[in-house]
Amino acid sequence: MLVRFACSVAALTCSGAGLAQEMAAAVASPASDFDAIIVTGRAAGSEMRKAEASYAITTIDQQSLKLAPPISTADTFRRVPGFWVESSGGEGSNNVRSRGIPTDGYSSVGLQENSLPVQYDGALGYLNADQSFRVDDTIARVEAVRGGPASIFSPNSPGGVVNFITRRGTDTPGGAGSVRYTFTDTTAHRVDAWFGKEIAPNLGLLVGGFYREGDGMRDMGFTAEKGGQIRATLNYDDGDNSVLLDVRHLDDRTPFYLPVPLTFNSDGGIIAVPGFDPLRDTLAGSNNQRVAIKNVGGPFDFDLTEGSHTQLTAVTLEAKVRMAEGVHFETRNRYRTSDILRNALFPTGNVDTIANYRTSLLAQARAGGLTGATGIQLRYADDGSAVPADANGNGLLVQGNFLSASVPLDEIISDNRITATVGNHALAAGVTYAHSDFRFDRYMGTALLDVRGNSRRVDAVAVDAAGAVVGRVTDDGFLRYGSLFDNAGISTDNIAFYAGDEWQLTPEIRIDFAGRYEKLSFRGLVANKRTVNLGDPTTIADNNVTTFGDGYVRVNQRYDGFGWTVGGNWQFEPNMGMFARYTDTFRLPSAGEWSGNPTRTDQGKVPIKMGEVGFKYGASAVSLFATAFWTKFERLTLTDWYFDNATSTYLSRVAIAGSETFGVEAEARVRPVGWFDLGLALTWQDPNYKNFTYTDATGNPVDFSGRQLIRVPKLAVRLTPGINLFDDRLRGEVEVEHYTKRFADIANSQPLPAFTNVNLNLRAVVTENVAAGLNVSNLFDTLQLTEGNPRAGSFVSGDAGAQYFLARPNFGRIIRASATVSF
C-alpha cells in the first residue's frame, strides 16, 4: 500500500496507518513521485531522489498496480513512455522494444527482480525473460529506466531495464496483508495473497503468491491457464546493514497466442474472415489438444494443453554490510533452476481458398512420387468426412506447425560491489559473474487446417482420373512429420567489471560517469541433422523426417565489449532540473543463436551509441518529465526465417545492418482539482534502418536503408483522465491509447493500421478493510493488430498484397472484477 511504501522508502519506523486510511490511499489520485528514492540504473549506495536522476526513469507504485493490475509482465511496460510493447501473445513470450531498438523479445531490455536479472540473457531461443516471471501482489513497486546507464549496471539492456521490487516483512512492523479474488469473464479465477510482519526487531517475514485457473483470453476449448507462484522472504534491516533471503517457486501453464486469419473489405479495411472471430477465436484448441506426431523410434506426444509451461525455483540471497563510515559491501546472488516447455500451434504459410490449395497439393503429390495423381480429395482427419467447398462459411485452408520446444535452464548470477561516499563523491566498483547451462530440444510437424475457431486437421488424398486413390499427400492431417528438429546443450560464462562515480560538483550540479567491461564465453554441442523416410508407402508425409544425424558439432565462442556513460544533472530548483547523457555501449551475442546453426559466423558484438537530454518538473498540481533521445545501432545481425509451403520447411537469409532513431518521450500528470487528474505518456520517434543491403534468392541486390523499423509506431500516446469521489473512496480511470501505423516487415510492404484502444479501471473502498475493483480492457471491442505473421517473412512479408493473411491482434473486450480483503 502507498502508506507502507512511503515508510520503507523514507527508511522510517512506522507501525502502519489504519486500514481505512490505507484503503483510501489505495484509490486516491496518484501523488507526485518526484521525491521517490530510486535504486535502478545506478550502483552507488547513497540515496537519490527521482528528481535528481540524470536519466529517464518511470516509477509505478503499489497504488497504480492495484488500480490496474497488469495482465502480463509485458503489460506493465505499456505504462512507460519510450517502450513499444506487444502483449498480444498472452502472459509470456511477448516483445518489448525501447527507443527504436530493432530487436525482439527481451534481447535488449533487461528484466530485473530486486536489481538482479530474472534471466541473465533474456533472449534465449524460445525462452524470453517474461516466461520466467509473473507479477503478483508481492510486488511493491516498479522502476523502469530507458537507455541511459542501464547497460552499464545491468547485462543485455541497452534499451533499458525494468526492475520489479518486492515487499519486505520489515515494511509492516505490526503485520499486514491482503487476499484478492479476481474473476474474468473469460472464465478465469485467480487468488492473490500476501502477509508480512516484523517477527523480531529489524527482522521480517513475508509470504505470498497467486493461484489461478482459466480457459484463456481466447477460446481454447479447454482449461488453458492453470498454476501459480509462491514466494517466501526473510529479511533483516537495521538501517545500515541488511540481509534478505527470498525463495520463489513458479509452476504455471499459459497459452501462447499466435496470428489469426484476416481479410479486407471492399474499401481496403481489415475485417474478420467469415466464421472466425479474430478477437476471441484461435486456430489452436480442443480439436488438436493431444496429437501423436510420427517420429523416428515412435510417435511424439504433442500436448497442446501444456502451452507455455514454466516450472522454476529461484533462491536469492542479498546482503549489505557496513565496512566503515560511508563504506558498504553489497552482494546479490541468485540460483535458478527451471524446466520450460513451450507447445503451440503456429499458423504459417498462406491462408488460401480450397480450390487454390487443391492445385498446390496436387503439385506436391506429383513431386513426392504420386505421378498418377490427377486430383485431390479433402477429408477431415478426425472422422474422414468430406471437406465442403464452403467449409465454415469461408472455404479456406491454412498450414500450421505443431511445435514443441523444451529449454531447461540452470543459472547462477552473483553481483558484488563496494560503495563508498568520499566527500562529494558516491563511488561504486563491482563485478558480476553468471554461469548457465541450458538445453534446447525442438520438434515440429506441419499440418493442413481448416479456418475456424479450434481448427480441424484436413487430409489430402491423391486420386487418378477414375477417382481411385493413388496415395496420400497427408497423414492424419500432417503434410510433413519432422519438419523441424534441433538438439543442443550449451554452457555460458559471463564476467563483467564495472565502476562509477556520482560527483556532487555543487549543490545544484552533479555529474556521473561509469564504465563496464564484459566477457562472454560459451561452449556446447549441437546435434547434426539428417532426413529419413519412416517407410509408410501410402503417404508422402513421412518421406522427409528431420532427426538426429551423425554426432554433434562442438561450439566454442568468446566475445567481449567495453561500454561507458557520462551524464550530468542540473537541479536549478528543488522541483525542477535538466539532465544530459551520452552512452557508448554494446550488446554481446546470445548463445541461443547457435542452438540451430552451430557453424554460423555472422554474429558479433553490437556497438550501440545513445544520447539524451531531459527536463523535469514536479509540483502538487503539475509534473512533467520530457526527454529527447537518439539511438544508433552500428552492426546488427538480422535473420529472416520464413516458411516454404511447398516443402513444409523453414528457410533463412541473413543481413548485417544498422539503425538510427531520433525521438521525444514525455510523461506528465496534471491535477487542477483534488477530484480530477490527467496523465499523459507520449513517445514520438523516427526509427529507420541504416546500411541495410543484401542479395535476394534471385541474385538481385536489395536496399532497405531508410525504411521504418519493423512493427514500431512513430507515435504512441496514452492519456489517462481520472476522478476521485466520496472522499477518495472511489477512483475511476479511463486509459486512451493511440498508436500510429506500423509495418509487419522490413520492406514496409505490409502496413499494420493505426489503432486506438480504451481501457476502464475502477477501484472502490467498500468497508474499512474491503475494496472492489473493475477492469475492462479494449472497452469498445475493436480490432487492433500488433504484428503480422513473422513466419511469412520479416524482410519481405509473403502476405503482402494477399486477399487473406495472418496477423496477431490484441484481445477483445475482457472484464475483470476483483474483491480485496486487507488485514
Side-chain angles (χ1 to χ4, degrees):
M1 296 290 184
L2 193 61
V3 174
R4 297 171 191 147
F5 171 54
C7 293
S8 64
V9 164
L12 300 175
T13 301
C14 59
S15 58
L19 285 173
Q21 182 180 351
E22 291 188 7
M23 296 296 284
V27 298
S29 171
S32 172
D33 58 358
F34 221 58
D35 293 325
I37 303 301
I38 60 173
V39 299
T40 309
R42 56 195 299 259
S46 60
E47 288 190 350
M48 180 188 291
R49 298 186 305 137
K50 180 179 177 180
E52 300 166 340
S54 57
Y55 49 88
I57 183 169
T58 295
T59 55
I60 304 172
D61 60 17
Q62 180 61 213
Q63 170 190 351
S64 298
L65 292 173
K66 282 292 184 70
L67 178 63
I71 293 177
S72 64
T73 302
D75 197 43
T76 311
F77 289 53
R78 292 172 46 251
R79 311 180 192 194
V80 183
F83 283 117
W84 163 246
V85 180
E86 296 173 352
S87 56
S88 54
E91 293 202 38
S93 303
N94 287 299
N95 293 313
V96 176
R97 297 174 182 234
S98 171
R99 292 183 172 180
I101 286 179
T103 56
D104 287 330
Y106 289 77
S107 56
S108 295
V109 175
L111 183 60
Q112 289 187 341
E113 180 183 25
N114 293 326
S115 301
L116 204 61
V118 168
Q119 186 173 302
Y120 197 86
D121 184 347
L124 292 174
Y126 289 85
L127 180 50
N128 285 350
D130 63 343
Q131 290 175 256
S132 303
F133 188 77
R134 297 287 188 272
V135 180
D136 60 24
D137 285 353
T138 65
I139 303 299
R141 70 186 193 276
V142 182
E143 296 180 355
V145 173
R146 288 97 68 194
S151 63
I152 305 302
F153 301 118
S154 181
N156 304 314
S157 54
V161 62
V162 178
N163 188 12
F164 291 83
I165 300 168
T166 61
R167 300 176 185 267
R168 307 285 194 272
T170 51
D171 294 341
T172 54
S178 69
V179 177
R180 174 165 59 98
Y181 167 73
T182 303
F183 173 75
T184 305
D185 67 342
T186 55
T187 320
H189 305 267
R190 172 168 170 150
V191 176
D192 288 76
W194 71 276
F195 177 76
K197 181 179 176 60
E198 192 173 63
I199 57 178
N202 303 320
L203 182 65
L205 175 67
L206 182 135
V207 292
F210 78 91
Y211 182 81
R212 55 84 183 282
E213 288 191 14
D215 294 342
M217 288 178 280
R218 292 183 179 275
D219 181 15
M220 300 290 288
F222 53 79
T223 301
E225 302 171 340
K226 186 173 183 179
Q229 177 172 266
I230 187 168
R231 179 192 303 276
T233 301
L234 184 68
N235 82 296
Y236 172 86
D237 191 347
D238 63 13
D240 209 15
N241 302 280
S242 63
V243 179
L244 177 143
L245 176 63
D246 179 87
V247 180
R248 177 172 65 92
H249 180 69
L250 172 65
D251 189 344
D252 193 29
R253 297 200 320 254
T254 64
F256 181 49
Y257 301 102
L258 288 141
V260 300
L262 296 160
T263 188
F264 299 94
N265 61 22
S266 58
D267 296 326
I270 297 174
I271 60 172
V273 167
F276 192 98
D277 183 351
L279 297 180
R280 292 169 180 80
D281 285 342
T282 173
L283 290 168
S286 53
N287 290 318
N288 291 297
Q289 68 183 70
R290 202 69 179 262
V291 182
I293 307 176
K294 289 183 180 179
N295 193 11
V296 176
F300 178 87
D301 184 17
F302 180 87
D303 187 355
L304 188 59
T305 66
E306 284 288 305
S308 291
H309 190 175
T310 299
Q311 296 172 289
L312 178 149
T313 300
V315 181
T316 303
L317 177 64
E318 303 178 8
K320 180 179 179 181
V321 181
R322 181 180 182 275
M323 301 175 64
E325 183 65 31
V327 181
H328 287 84
F329 170 71
E330 299 180 23
T331 182
R332 295 180 177 88
N333 307 273
R334 178 171 294 140
Y335 169 71
R336 167 253 182 92
T337 181
S338 62
D339 285 308
I340 312 289
L341 177 65
R342 188 166 158 192
N343 287 356
L345 174 55
F346 290 74
T348 189
N350 302 111
V351 181
D352 212 338
T353 64
I354 286 176
N356 287 341
Y357 257 102
R358 287 184 193 275
T359 300
S360 63
L361 290 166
L362 181 59
Q364 292 180 46
R366 290 170 174 169
L370 304 179
T371 55
T374 61
I376 295 291
Q377 294 179 356
L378 298 175
R379 306 168 182 171
Y380 284 111
D382 50 9
D383 63 8
S385 62
V387 178
D390 62 346
N392 309 309
N394 54 59
L396 299 174
L397 299 177
V398 66
Q399 292 179 212
N401 290 328
F402 288 73
L403 175 63
S404 178
S406 173
V407 195
L409 173 67
D410 290 338
E411 183 172 67
I412 297 172
I413 304 173
S414 180
D415 179 73
N416 302 275
R417 67 184 65 166
I418 293 177
T419 64
T421 302
V422 181
N424 294 332
H425 296 267
L427 304 167
V431 58
T432 302
Y433 172 73
H435 173 83
S436 71
D437 296 299
F438 74 91
R439 286 182 55 85
F440 182 71
D441 293 286
R442 179 167 59 172
Y443 186 73
M444 184 175 85
T446 301
L448 186 62
L449 309 169
D450 68 349
V451 173
R452 70 164 75 192
N454 306 153
S455 63
R456 297 168 69 184
R457 298 190 309 282
V458 172
D459 267 324
V461 178
V463 296
D464 61 19
V469 174
V470 298
R472 293 178 295 134
V473 180
T474 62
D475 181 49
D476 195 27
F478 281 90
L479 289 158
R480 182 181 175 186
Y481 295 119
S483 48
L484 190 64
F485 167 85
D486 287 293
N487 173 266
I490 297 178
S491 297
T492 70
D493 288 282
N494 291 75
I495 186 165
F497 302 92
Y498 59 86
D501 179 13
E502 297 175 358
W503 180 15
Q504 196 70 45
L505 197 60
T506 72
E508 296 81 20
I509 299 175
R510 189 189 69 257
I511 61 174
D512 65 86
F513 41 89
R516 178 188 187 90
Y517 172 77
E518 182 166 3
K519 185 174 182 180
L520 160 68
S521 61
F522 62 88
R523 61 208 172 276
L525 298 173
V526 179
N528 284 315
K529 293 176 278 191
R530 64 190 175 103
T531 59
V532 300
N533 188 328
L534 295 184
D536 185 345
T538 67
T539 181
I540 63 174
D542 72 341
N543 287 7
N544 294 285
V545 176
T546 310
T547 186
F548 279 103
D550 183 15
Y552 290 81
V553 176
R554 186 175 298 276
V555 293
N556 193 341
Q557 302 285 342
R558 297 175 184 272
Y559 299 90
D560 66 347
F562 175 74
W564 57 274
T565 186
V566 58
N569 183 70
W570 178 25
Q571 203 69 28
F572 45 84
E573 295 288 346
N575 65 338
M576 188 183 305
M578 296 184 66
F579 68 87
R581 177 171 298 278
Y582 178 80
T583 302
D584 189 329
T585 188
F586 61 93
R587 209 296 187 186
L588 298 180
S590 171
E593 296 291 341
W594 276 260
S595 296
N597 186 1
T599 60
R600 68 186 309 166
T601 58
D602 49 43
Q603 295 288 319
K605 180 185 73 173
V606 180
I608 306 165
K609 293 179 170 58
M610 299 182 290
E612 55 189 309
V613 178
F615 171 79
K616 48 203 172 173
Y617 173 77
S620 58
V622 179
S623 63
L624 171 67
F625 294 81
T627 308
F629 62 87
W630 165 74
T631 305
K632 185 177 183 181
F633 275 61
E634 296 187 321
R635 183 197 182 278
L636 186 68
T637 301
L638 297 169
T639 303
D640 181 27
W641 289 95
Y642 56 100
F643 197 76
D644 180 45
N645 274 14
T647 60
S648 296
T649 190
Y650 277 105
L651 303 175
S652 67
R653 54 192 166 208
V654 173
I656 307 296
S659 69
E660 188 170 28
T661 300
F662 293 90
V664 177
E665 61 192 26
E667 58 180 327
R669 186 168 292 277
V670 181
R671 307 171 190 85
V673 292
W675 59 268
F676 175 78
D677 54 86
L678 176 66
L680 166 70
L682 177 148
T683 305
W684 176 87
Q685 57 188 320
D686 186 20
N688 297 300
Y689 289 102
K690 299 292 182 182
N691 303 316
F692 196 126
T693 61
Y694 71 98
T695 301
D696 66 17
T698 63
N700 295 317
V702 178
D703 189 347
F704 289 146
S705 300
R707 305 295 175 94
Q708 184 175 325
L709 288 188
I710 185 172
R711 302 208 299 268
V712 176
K714 287 191 174 183
L715 178 65
V717 181
R718 184 171 184 263
L719 285 172
T720 312
I723 58 172
N724 306 281
L725 303 173
F726 308 113
D727 295 325
D728 289 341
R729 296 177 69 87
L730 172 67
R731 171 152 180 95
E733 286 185 352
V734 176
E735 300 172 336
V736 183
E737 305 167 319
H738 178 74
Y739 303 96
T740 55
K741 180 177 67 174
R742 291 138 293 115
F743 294 96
D745 59 352
I746 291 169
N748 292 178
S749 64
Q750 186 183 16
L752 300 172
F755 68 84
T756 300
N757 178 54
V758 179
N759 304 319
L760 174 66
N761 303 309
L762 297 171
R763 187 167 171 83
V765 173
V766 180
T767 68
E768 181 176 288
N769 63 341
V770 176
L774 178 70
N775 304 97
V776 185
S777 57
N778 195 356
L779 180 65
F780 298 111
D781 212 29
T782 57
L783 182 62
Q784 309 159 10
L785 302 186
T786 64
E787 69 171 29
N789 178 24
R791 285 149 293 280
S794 57
F795 284 13
V796 181
S797 175
D799 282 343
Q803 180 182 359
Y804 304 99
F805 64 99
L806 292 164
R808 189 169 71 183
N810 278 325
F811 304 107
R813 183 191 301 114
I814 295 178
I815 302 173
R816 292 180 291 160
S818 65
T820 303
V821 178
S822 298
F823 47 85

